[in-house]
Amino acid sequence: MTDLPREVVDAAERLTRLARRAVDDAEAAAYERDRDERLDEYGFTARIRESDDTLVLHPAEWLDGDTARMDRIEDTDRAVEVPLSGSGDPEEWDDVETHNAEVVAQVAERTGEIHAANARAFADFMGNHYARRVETATAAELEEFLTEYYPRNAWPSEEERDAVTQSLEHVFAVTETALPEFTAARR
């Protein structure tokens, strides 16, 4: 389990995206400085893994200068990975986020906070990883969400974990879309 609170991870992602959209280098540097200062409070640092365009947040103690030292890494679950890929069009990403936030609000209104929290985690996954609306998820993406993203990035309560599959059903019901069949161990 990571040492970073979810709100710090969310802020780091938001500031990284703002830095990418910045119109000049000074603005981008200011966003990155803000992100780095927030992470530093928890002893973490950020880097972009270029091979798959992922923001990686990990303990600064893993580094010797700019090089990760494998002998210093005891528990890789302390790191957080936030995919940044998508269409690359900031306006499209904003449209996707607006749509997905509306779906989350509808889930909250119909079913309550536990399902809303899971819907928000799924919206973050689909928006940030694929820059797509929640109802466009494939079976493989649902499996990836449940087995990879959710346990490592959502920090669910026991109640949220127990309800996550039903929460996905609510997301698809709100969007009036059929839920794809998937084979991941349902929680």
Side-chain angles (χ1 to χ4, degrees):
M1 173 77 56
T2 184
D3 302 326
L4 279 177
R6 182 179 184 138
E7 59 271 11
V8 175
V9 174
D10 291 345
E13 177 186 358
R14 181 179 56 80
L15 291 165
T16 299
R17 289 186 184 282
L18 288 170
R20 288 179 155 202
R21 297 182 199 168
V23 294
D24 64 50
D25 292 341
E27 181 184 10
Y31 288 129
E32 289 171 350
R33 201 168 32 256
D34 187 4
R35 176 197 66 202
D36 294 345
E37 288 170 1
R38 291 174 191 231
L39 291 171
D40 190 52
E41 290 179 34
Y42 294 88
F44 272 67
T45 189
R47 72 177 181 87
I48 305 293
R49 188 172 56 225
E50 300 294 335
S51 63
D52 62 355
D53 197 29
T54 298
L55 173 65
V56 180
L57 309 175
H58 60 82
E61 67 197 37
W62 291 1
L63 298 177
D64 183 9
D66 288 336
T67 304
R69 297 277 312 262
M70 298 308 288
D71 60 324
R72 295 183 180 179
I73 301 172
E74 294 176 13
D75 182 5
T76 57
D77 286 343
R78 291 183 65 204
V80 178
E81 296 184 358
V82 181
L84 298 171
S85 293
S87 70
D89 180 350
E91 286 182 29
E92 183 178 326
W93 185 83
D94 288 340
D95 291 343
V96 166
E97 173 53 27
T98 298
H99 170 81
N100 289 349
E102 290 170 4
V103 171
V104 171
Q106 289 178 32
V107 169
E109 185 179 306
R110 291 182 185 185
T111 64
E113 289 306 310
I114 290 173
H115 293 300
N118 285 333
R120 180 70 260 172
F122 185 57
D124 290 344
F125 168 74
M126 285 301 294
N128 296 334
H129 196 94
Y130 294 105
R132 292 200 343 258
R133 294 174 174 219
V134 288
E135 69 270 22
T136 67
T138 65
E141 290 159 354
L142 289 166
E143 291 174 19
E144 179 184 1
F145 170 73
L146 289 172
T147 60
E148 306 276 333
Y149 182 91
Y150 188 74
R152 295 186 86 183
N153 298 298
W155 302 287
S157 69
E158 188 174 327
E159 290 176 331
E160 290 167 349
R161 242 187 340 270
D162 291 345
V164 68
T165 301
Q166 188 178 14
S167 299
L168 293 173
E169 292 169 0
H170 290 308
V171 166
F172 280 81
V174 162
T175 61
E176 299 179 356
T177 307
L179 177 68
E181 290 188 30
F182 55 98
T183 58
R186 295 190 179 215
R187 306 189 187 298

